[in-house]
Amino acid sequence: MRLDKYLKVSRLIKRRTVANEACDNGLVTVNGKPARASYEVKEGDQITLRFGVRTVTVEVLSVQETVRQSDAAALYRQI
């Protein structure tokens, strides 16, 4: 699954266009390297998001195309 879509499905970022812009601006890294929106997310990847002064790091536990809102947090584990 593409990185921008994973960020939207997991609800780490609310909209896919915002996720795409965050990747283009270098605010998203995967395994310590800046990642493009087209990066293929795999289980075990570590994604770091920078929201202004706040930084969020998560580990990908599962990759699914569609998820209910209540189950979205099960896709990742915050580090």
Side-chain angles (χ1 to χ4, degrees):
M1 175 185 300
R2 289 174 51 105
L3 177 59
D4 58 345
K5 185 171 182 181
Y6 180 82
L7 293 173
K8 183 205 176 288
V9 169
S10 65
R11 290 167 176 79
L12 289 167
I13 296 181
K14 198 167 204 164
R15 300 199 187 278
R16 191 166 175 182
T17 54
V18 175
N20 203 336
E21 289 173 7
C23 292
D24 290 344
N25 292 329
L27 302 176
V28 181
T29 60
V30 178
N31 299 326
K33 299 177 186 171
R36 300 180 60 92
S38 61
Y39 175 83
E40 286 294 318
V41 176
K42 299 172 283 302
E43 293 178 11
D45 283 344
Q46 284 193 353
I47 301 173
T48 303
L49 304 163
R50 288 195 330 248
F51 298 110
V53 295
R54 195 176 89 163
T55 301
V56 176
T57 303
V58 296
E59 179 183 357
V60 177
L61 299 178
S62 176
V63 178
Q64 298 177 17
E65 290 292 323
T66 57
V67 174
R68 289 184 178 178
Q69 183 176 2
S70 59
D71 299 333
L75 294 178
Y76 60 88
R77 178 179 56 137
Q78 194 163 357
I79 300 174

